[in-house]
Amino acid sequence: MGLLLRETETAPCTVEISHRFEELSAHVKFENGAVIYPGDSVQVHGEEIMAPYGEVVREERMATITRASKLERWWTRQTGDLEFMELCEFSFSEEILS
């Protein structure tokens, strides 16, 4: 990994989509043990996966991981806390503040 250069790698993965009352989620697990770091991006290949209501769908796919350069990774770590704080400004509770 260079200071300004990005690297890419391909990895097999399992995609799990849950569309249930208890849970609405999507997860990707890399079968080769690949780890995603700050600034990296992942593109899962294949058709869109649609899970019918009440079901969990699992599919085997291939993914391309684009590794951030050292500079991008540093910048993501420096600015990531600021972006997280934007999320902290909102509340999803039903309580009314007086």
Side-chain angles (χ1 to χ4, degrees):
M1 170 183 9
L3 181 62
L4 298 174
L5 299 176
R6 294 180 179 176
E7 296 177 0
T8 60
E9 64 181 270
T10 304
C13 64
T14 301
V15 179
E16 180 178 293
I17 309 290
S18 176
H19 189 188
R20 300 178 299 162
F21 178 77
E22 303 85 18
E23 178 184 16
L24 179 62
S25 64
H27 298 278
V28 175
K29 177 183 176 188
F30 296 104
E31 301 302 329
N32 66 351
V35 177
I36 303 303
Y37 298 102
D40 293 349
S41 63
V42 176
Q43 180 179 9
V44 178
H45 303 285
E47 296 295 318
E48 181 178 305
I49 301 172
M50 296 295 292
Y53 182 76
E55 294 187 23
V56 176
V57 176
R58 287 182 188 85
E59 289 193 15
E60 302 293 323
R61 298 284 178 99
M62 290 300 289
T64 299
I65 303 169
T66 304
R67 300 288 181 189
S69 66
K70 288 182 180 180
L71 183 60
E72 288 173 317
R73 185 160 293 152
W74 175 84
W75 180 252
T76 302
R77 288 184 180 176
Q78 297 304 312
T79 60
D81 290 339
L82 300 174
E83 292 178 14
F84 173 75
M85 292 308 292
E86 290 179 16
L87 295 174
C88 294
E89 294 178 11
F90 299 97
S91 171
F92 297 102
S93 66
E94 295 179 13
E95 294 178 19
I96 298 175
L97 299 175
S98 45

